[in-house]
């Protein structure tokens, strides 16, 4: 099959000028980690203009959200930011529960907090490790992935799937957790993780190559960060002390003592340090939570007609059977108010919110995601201009762009 | 004085329609007043952060009077206060002024709403499709577009093994 | 008494080439979505695909033997995938990793291709969402088996495969005069005629 030359996508005019040439970067390029494309206009090695082109992984998540019901869609949200799936599940069901006005049981709140923070740790680990990998430090990547395997083990123990657990349900969780799981977490936060964290810090914190390539690169000032809607670690590294866990405490976050990590510089290095410190704060939260998990049920009471009854209740009691039937027949299911609402949580990458429009049926009429990666990537041209082409991986790595969340 | 009161004082109580659901406080703003309200919210009331822009197609929605809705989620970074502004639009030419000048973050969010719903943002510097391919003919998140598409996804020539 | 090695051995060139190829299958990680992370996990310390000679991930298609499509492939990505496939030198193989690449998986939507085998030839399918790293290693082993069983030194085994091998189309097919396809061209490859309604 003959191949024809690609037209130089949107930049014909600039590339004609003297000394400028156009470089296509991606969509299949190792430093992008996933699928995004940049059309860079270069003067020598300096980037004059960068035009991102995305959509190479647009798979219609939001359309599926209108087709699947409030529980089913959790399997799809999982696949949105696939390096910390649990945080997406928490965000989605937080929005659904806000819409329906459900108050979770204390035990469920604690467990969700713990798994959410674990997911945040594994997200930051991958981000830090992969950023180091792109800048030439493969060892830190191997240490980070080793720890991620430990987190996977914990998730596998609780949900049976190591990667996409799909663990939350409307008004509760899929299963309750057991003592062995609690011990695994204790082991993780006491022994494995602090050691790996120290190792990674030792490898990178004073590493000349790493620091030289990240310091002063991709600077985002505080005003720009606010004006361009940055959130999460990216905003905090620019000195915007905004953390939804503190601002609008959801789940059990107000019970714990933790700090919001901020930096002033706003460059790639600051983002790296913010992520490293946030992992420590997450460990602090987990260690407070894991010793104080309240007893009691994980799901809200069956009488509320919101949660799926467990197998025993379904097979042994008529209420359970009816309830199961009510939630699974496609013309029954939930009856949320005919309203719309936005609820946000602090995802690993930033503010992860869902805007749900409900028409009173069992599935959302519209399930809009506020994707942090999408918004962070939109400031990429601003961050990269004037830097050299070898800074592209550094900036991309520090923003932690996840294509599935970027494109949905 | 709350945000609602200040808005009422500035724009009169008839033009805007206020409501609250759970913690979401919101106002429905007519298109003509939209840009004024937004810049008032930003400059006077301190909503310096645009968290999200959500497009909605109300085609089969119960009791809906307009076809499209665009919801702007605003936040005040220093007080963590949130406010939602909603505009309703109708079919032949859903047109809305762009807020890119106020919040640069609106750039891609508006492009996405355009891509998915066909709502045109007047004054946007670079309104192209963002997620779908350039020449794609429909707006996929509209309610009259089927979930499985109209066959576009399989509209490519396969490669035969012996050839490549 | 010293062991006496033969001065020469008799073997088929095909066999020799197959041995060499099977144990150094260099993957081209065409990682688009979540499965790509599991692909990374397969390459990192715990699972260590280097034990099977496949650790040398080359990001240039021209240096690879096997394309591992990990993740869903959408409308905009198909021309890219086909182009990368065409850039790989013969002999080459393809592993379709994960439910999405093999069949579209949970994403039966307007944008996602329902299985890459509709557009490029696939040798090994790996089920799972995502497949565990062990499954991917199994797939590499299976592919080695296949190479040893069917390979030839000058890639003659592919010559006979002149028919389309993928599944029959499920969705509405457009007549040839309705489509406007320029393979390999990113900007126009998915251009459709505007709807006439
Ligand atoms: S098969 Fe599952 S894990 Fe793999 S890309 Fe598809 S959704 Fe992601």
């Amino acid at each position: 099959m003959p191949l024809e030359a690609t037209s130089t996508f949107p930049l014909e005019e600039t590339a004609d000028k003297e000394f400028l040439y156009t470089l296509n970067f991606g969509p299949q390029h190792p430093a992008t980690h996933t699928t995004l494309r940049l059309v860079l206009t270069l003067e020598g090695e300096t980037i004059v203009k960068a035009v991102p082109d995305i959509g190479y992984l647009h798979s219609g998540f939001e359309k599926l959200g209108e087709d699947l019901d409030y529980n089913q869609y959790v399997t799809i949200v999982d696949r949105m930011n696939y390096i910390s799936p649990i945080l997406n599940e928490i965000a989605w069901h937080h929005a659904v529960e806000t819409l329906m006005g459900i108050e979770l049981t204390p035990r469920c709140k604690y467990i969700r907090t713990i798994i959410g923070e674990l997911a945040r740790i594994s997200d930051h680990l991958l981000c830090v490790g992969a950023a180091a990998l792109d800048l030439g430090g493969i060892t830190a990547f191997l240490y980070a992935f080793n720890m991620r395997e430990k987190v996977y083990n914990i998730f596998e123990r609780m949900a049976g799937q190591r990667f996409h657990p799909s663990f939350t349900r409307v008004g509760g969780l899929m299963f309750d957790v057991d003592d062995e799981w609690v011990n695994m977490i204790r082991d993780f936060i006491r022994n494995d993780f602090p050691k790996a964290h120290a190792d990674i810090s030792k490898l990178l914190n004073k590493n000349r190559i790493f620091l030289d390539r990240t310091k002063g690169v991709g600077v985002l000032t505080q005003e720009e960060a606010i004006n361009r809607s940055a959130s999460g670690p990216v905003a905090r590294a620019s000195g915007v002390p905004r953390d939804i866990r503190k601002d609008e405490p959801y789940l059990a976050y107000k019970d714990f003592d933790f700090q919001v990590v901020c930096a002033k510089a706003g460059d790639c290095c600051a983002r790296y340090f913010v992520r490293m410190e946030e992992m420590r704060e997450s460990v602090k939260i987990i260690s407070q939570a894991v010793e104080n998990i309240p007893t009691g049920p994980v799901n809200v009471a069956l009488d509320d007609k919101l949660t799926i009854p467990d197998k025993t209740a379904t097979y042994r009691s008529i209420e359970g059977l009816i309830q199961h039937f009510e939630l699974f027949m496609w013309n029954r299911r939930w009856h949320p108010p005919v309203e719309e609402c936005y609820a946000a949580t602090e995802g690993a990458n930033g503010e992860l919110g869902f805007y749900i429009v409900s028409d009173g049926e069992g599935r959302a009429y519209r399930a809009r995601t506020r994707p942090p990666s999408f918004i962070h990537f939109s400031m990429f041209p601003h961050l990269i201009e004037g830097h050299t082409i070898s800074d592209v991986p550094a900036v991309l790595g520090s923003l932690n762009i996840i294509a599935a969340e970027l494109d949905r | 004085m709350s945000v609602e009161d200040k808005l009422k004082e500035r724009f009169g109580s008839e033009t805007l329609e206020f409501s609250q659901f759970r913690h979401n406080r919101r106002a429905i703003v007519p298109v003509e007043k939209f840009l004024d309200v937004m810049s008032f919210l930003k400059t006077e009331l301190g909503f310096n952060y645009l968290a999200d822009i959500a497009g909605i197609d109300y085609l089969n929605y119960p009791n809906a009077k307009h076809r499209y809705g665009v919801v702007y989620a605003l936040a005040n970074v220093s007080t963590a206060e949130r406010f939602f502004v909603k505009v309703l639009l109708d079919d032949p030419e859903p047109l809305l002024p762009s807020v890119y000048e106020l919040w640069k973050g609106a750039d891609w969010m508006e492009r996405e709403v355009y891509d998915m719903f066909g709502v045109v943002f007047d004054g946007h510097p670079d309104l192209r499709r963002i997620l779908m391919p350039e020449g794609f003919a429909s707006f996929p998140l509209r309610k009259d577009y089927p979930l499985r598409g109209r066959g576009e996804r399989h509209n490519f020539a396969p490669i035969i093994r012996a050839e490549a | 008494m010293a062991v006496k090695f033969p001065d020469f051995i008799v073997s088929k060139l095909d066999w020799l080439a197959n041995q060499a190829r099977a144990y150094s299958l260099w993957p081209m990680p065409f990682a688009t979505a979540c499965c790509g992370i599991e692909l990374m996990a397969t390459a990192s310390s715990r699972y260590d695909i280097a034990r099977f000679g496949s650790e040398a991930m080359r990001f240039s298609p021209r240096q690879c033997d096997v394309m591992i499509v990990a993740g869903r492939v959408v409308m905009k990505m198909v021309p890219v995938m086909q182009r990368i496939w065409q850039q790989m030198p013969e002999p080459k193989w393809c592993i379709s990793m994960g439910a999405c690449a093999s069949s579209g998986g949970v994403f039966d939507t307007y944008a996602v291709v329902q299985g890459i085998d509709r557009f490029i030839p696939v040798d090994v399918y790996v089920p799972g969402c995502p497949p565990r790293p062990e499954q991917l290693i199994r797939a590499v082993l299976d592919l080695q088996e296949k190479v040893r069983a069917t390979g030839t030194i000058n890639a003659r085994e592919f010559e006979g495969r002149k028919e389309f091998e993928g599944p029959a189309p499920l969705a509405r097919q457009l007549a040839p005069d309705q489509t406007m396809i320029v393979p390999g061209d990113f900007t126009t490859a998915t251009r459709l005629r505007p709807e006439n309604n």
Side-chain angles (χ1 to χ4, degrees):
Chain A
M1 182 175 303
L3 290 177
E4 283 164 30
T6 324
S7 66
T8 49
F9 174 61
L11 286 175
E12 297 89 350
E13 341 77 66
T14 40
D16 286 343
K17 291 202 197 101
E18 247 180 326
F19 308 125
L20 295 186
Y21 62 96
T22 309
L23 180 75
N24 182 48
F25 191 96
Q28 177 58 36
H29 186 282
T32 64
H33 291 295
T34 36
T35 53
L36 37 96
R37 176 169 171 232
L38 295 166
V39 183
L40 305 170
T41 309
L42 304 172
E43 183 184 352
E45 254 198 284
T46 317
I47 294 166
V48 183
K49 189 173 176 193
V51 179
D53 180 17
I54 63 169
Y56 289 95
L57 198 54
H58 174 69
S59 4
F61 280 76
E62 292 180 3
K63 194 86 177 173
L64 268 175
E66 298 166 7
D67 190 58
L68 301 177
D69 75 27
Y70 292 111
N71 265 345
Q72 289 170 331
Y73 189 48
V74 80
T75 57
I76 308 291
V77 243
D78 250 351
R79 283 140 182 87
M80 210 173 276
N81 179 345
Y82 43 71
I83 60 178
S84 55
I86 293 267
L87 283 167
N88 305 338
E89 297 169 13
I90 291 174
W92 165 248
H93 275 142
H94 176 62
V96 173
E97 281 146 13
T98 316
L99 173 80
M100 299 189 186
I102 302 172
E103 177 67 25
L104 292 174
T105 61
R107 184 175 175 86
C108 175
K109 280 186 186 169
Y110 268 64
I111 295 174
R112 279 198 194 180
T113 314
I114 294 171
I115 58 181
E117 291 308 314
L118 278 174
R120 191 184 314 279
I121 289 177
S122 77
D123 186 302
H124 286 350
L125 274 174
L126 189 125
C127 175
V128 167
L133 177 70
D134 289 343
L135 300 179
I138 193 170
T139 324
F141 168 78
L142 293 177
Y143 278 116
F145 245 88
N146 225 359
M147 277 305 108
R148 275 178 65 86
E149 291 288 344
K150 297 255 155 65
V151 181
Y152 281 159
N153 284 350
I154 295 174
F155 288 165
E156 193 171 356
R157 168 89 207 174
M158 93 194 167
Q161 231 276 27
R162 65 188 226 128
F163 201 85
H164 291 310
S166 301
F167 191 54
T168 62
R169 294 288 181 271
V170 175
L173 298 171
M174 179 159 61
F175 311 118
D176 201 348
V177 296
D178 56 3
D179 290 342
E180 177 59 30
W181 181 81
V182 175
N183 286 335
M184 282 169 91
I185 293 186
R186 281 199 192 118
D187 190 38
F188 177 74
I189 56 173
R190 288 200 195 135
N191 306 326
D192 298 331
F193 181 73
K195 189 165 172 307
H197 190 274
D199 283 340
I200 297 175
S201 315
K202 266 187 228 148
L203 277 169
L204 297 178
N205 280 8
K206 295 211 179 93
N207 185 328
R208 269 303 288 276
I209 303 176
F210 185 75
L211 291 185
D212 281 354
R213 291 192 64 181
T214 52
K215 272 225 163 96
V217 172
V219 180
L220 185 71
T221 60
Q222 193 184 15
E223 297 83 69
E224 284 286 342
I226 296 174
N227 198 258
R228 290 181 185 266
S229 307
S231 56
V234 177
R236 290 196 281 274
S238 300
V240 185
R242 184 164 183 272
D243 189 327
I244 298 178
R245 290 176 291 175
K246 285 276 189 204
D247 291 349
E248 303 163 4
Y250 57 99
L251 294 183
Y253 283 111
K254 47 181 179 315
D255 303 357
F256 306 127
D257 163 40
F258 67 101
Q259 273 156 0
V260 178
V261 184
C262 278
K264 273 200 191 123
D267 54 3
C268 296
C269 189
R271 293 196 268 276
Y272 158 74
F273 279 112
V274 166
R275 287 211 163 86
M276 288 301 274
E277 281 309 305
E278 263 185 22
M279 284 196 255
R280 274 194 229 233
E281 295 300 319
S282 295
V283 169
K284 233 160 90 184
I285 297 176
I286 297 173
S287 55
Q288 291 167 48
V290 83
E291 304 305 334
N292 300 317
I293 303 181
T295 50
V298 284
N299 288 341
V300 296
L302 204 54
D303 299 341
D304 293 351
K305 308 260 177 260
L306 296 165
T307 47
I308 305 166
D310 63 14
K311 280 273 184 295
T312 340
T314 313
Y315 289 131
R316 301 277 165 79
S317 74
I318 187 70
E319 293 81 20
L321 185 62
I322 293 174
Q323 172 60 7
H324 191 273
F325 180 83
E326 289 279 339
L327 283 187
F328 280 87
M329 290 304 286
W330 62 268
N331 53 355
R332 306 286 178 96
R333 304 199 274 209
W334 295 265
H335 299 287
V338 185
E339 262 294 355
E340 41 193 85
C341 101
Y342 177 86
T345 59
E346 183 73 22
N349 261 341
E351 176 177 346
L352 180 61
F354 283 92
Y355 191 89
I356 304 181
V357 181
S358 136
D359 57 353
E361 305 253 322
R363 55 192 183 188
Y365 185 80
R366 168 96 171 94
R368 153 83 188 165
T369 323
R370 185 228 187 251
S373 289
F374 181 77
I375 289 153
H376 289 159
F377 193 48
S378 74
M379 48 197 163
F380 179 79
H382 169 74
L383 295 183
I384 199 66
E385 259 156 49
H387 291 293
T388 58
I389 188 155
S390 58
D391 295 330
V392 172
V395 176
L396 277 178
S398 75
L399 289 179
N400 196 15
I401 309 292
I402 309 298
E405 190 184 57
L406 174 75
D407 295 343
R408 283 150 294 127
Chain B
M1 203 157 63
S2 72
V3 180
E4 284 91 344
D5 292 338
K6 281 184 189 153
L7 279 172
K8 262 187 212 152
E9 187 181 298
R10 176 81 198 299
F11 294 97
S13 47
E14 297 85 52
T15 36
L16 310 182
E17 199 180 305
F18 296 101
S19 58
Q20 176 159 11
F21 178 69
R22 313 277 182 231
H23 60 280
N24 292 10
R25 292 143 62 215
R26 52 206 178 185
I28 298 180
V29 178
V31 186
E32 315 83 60
K33 283 271 163 51
F34 171 68
L35 212 49
D36 295 341
V37 172
M38 292 308 255
S39 53
F40 180 71
L41 279 167
K42 181 179 177 196
T43 47
E44 313 278 316
L45 303 185
F47 286 97
N48 49 3
Y49 187 88
L50 176 68
D52 193 16
I53 302 180
I56 302 152
D57 179 1
Y58 288 111
L59 184 61
N60 304 318
Y61 197 71
N63 308 326
K65 296 195 186 61
H66 300 270
R67 173 87 197 259
Y68 306 104
V70 181
V71 179
Y72 292 74
L74 304 178
N76 183 335
V77 170
S78 33
T79 62
E81 199 180 3
R82 280 183 192 276
F83 196 71
F84 294 80
V85 173
K86 184 166 166 187
V87 212
L88 294 166
L89 301 167
D90 267 304
D91 217 351
E93 271 188 10
L95 184 81
L96 202 60
S98 165
V99 293
Y100 177 75
E101 294 305 322
L102 297 169
W103 296 276
K104 291 225 182 67
D107 183 358
W108 280 23
M109 302 184 202
E110 285 181 351
R111 275 178 72 185
E112 194 192 345
V113 175
Y114 165 70
D115 192 1
M116 293 291 147
F117 294 93
V119 175
V120 178
F121 289 88
D122 191 19
H124 188 283
D126 180 23
L127 198 66
R128 287 182 288 123
R129 280 196 175 263
I130 184 164
L131 295 177
M132 303 309 291
E134 277 287 304
F136 195 74
S138 331
F139 297 106
L141 279 188
R142 286 193 180 176
K143 285 279 171 183
D144 49 9
Y145 186 79
L147 171 69
R148 294 188 174 77
R150 299 204 170 106
E152 297 94 333
R153 62 184 178 185
H154 289 155
N155 191 5
F156 299 91
I159 292 180
I160 309 298
R161 188 63 185 85
E163 289 168 2
Chain C
M1 195 185 84
V3 183
K4 188 158 187 328
F5 285 105
D7 292 338
F8 60 90
I9 51 170
V10 184
S11 161
K12 284 201 289 185
L13 277 177
D14 281 354
W15 181 86
L16 211 62
N18 289 345
Q19 285 296 335
R21 279 176 191 151
Y23 291 113
S24 64
L25 286 170
W26 285 14
M28 156 82 217
F30 191 85
T32 55
C34 356
C35 280
I37 305 291
E38 283 296 69
L39 184 56
M40 277 156 89
T42 318
S44 60
S45 358
R46 182 148 155 200
Y47 293 97
D48 196 13
I49 203 173
R51 294 175 293 159
F52 307 98
S54 289
E55 83 284 14
M57 305 258 177
R58 290 297 121 135
F59 292 93
S60 162
R62 298 181 204 283
Q63 301 169 355
C64 300
D65 305 301
V66 47
M67 175 153 106
I68 302 184
V69 181
R72 51 193 173 274
V73 174
V74 308
M75 231 167 20
K76 219 171 166 179
M77 202 65 175
V78 174
V80 182
M81 179 181 72
Q82 291 188 329
R83 173 174 250 207
I84 287 180
W85 173 253
Q86 286 178 328
Q87 283 174 344
M88 284 169 57
E90 293 279 6
K92 57 193 174 187
W93 294 272
C94 175
I95 294 179
S96 151
M97 177 182 179
C100 286
S102 308
S103 72
V106 283
F107 295 97
D108 191 359
T109 61
Y110 54 91
V112 182
V113 165
Q114 302 296 297
I116 58 165
D117 47 3
R118 289 166 197 275
F119 302 111
I120 60 169
V122 175
D123 291 285
V124 184
Y125 298 86
V126 193
C129 181
R132 290 187 63 100
E134 293 94 331
Q135 283 176 276
L136 184 64
I137 291 174
R138 181 73 244 172
V140 171
L141 293 182
D142 286 347
L143 189 60
Q144 290 180 351
E145 198 60 40
K146 180 167 183 170
V147 171
R148 277 202 298 269
T150 65
T152 50
I153 188 159
N154 51 359
R156 295 188 302 279
E157 78 264 32
F158 301 125
E159 277 165 14
R161 294 166 64 178
K162 294 207 173 69
E163 294 293 310
F164 172 62
E165 292 161 354
L170 291 174
R172 182 177 68 116
Q173 262 215 320
L174 300 177
D177 59 319
Q178 278 182 307
T179 55
M180 296 163 60
I181 302 161
V182 188
D185 184 343
F186 298 152
T187 53
T188 54
T190 44
R191 183 154 312 199
L192 299 176
R193 291 267 153 80
E195 296 151 31
N196 25 355
N197 53 13

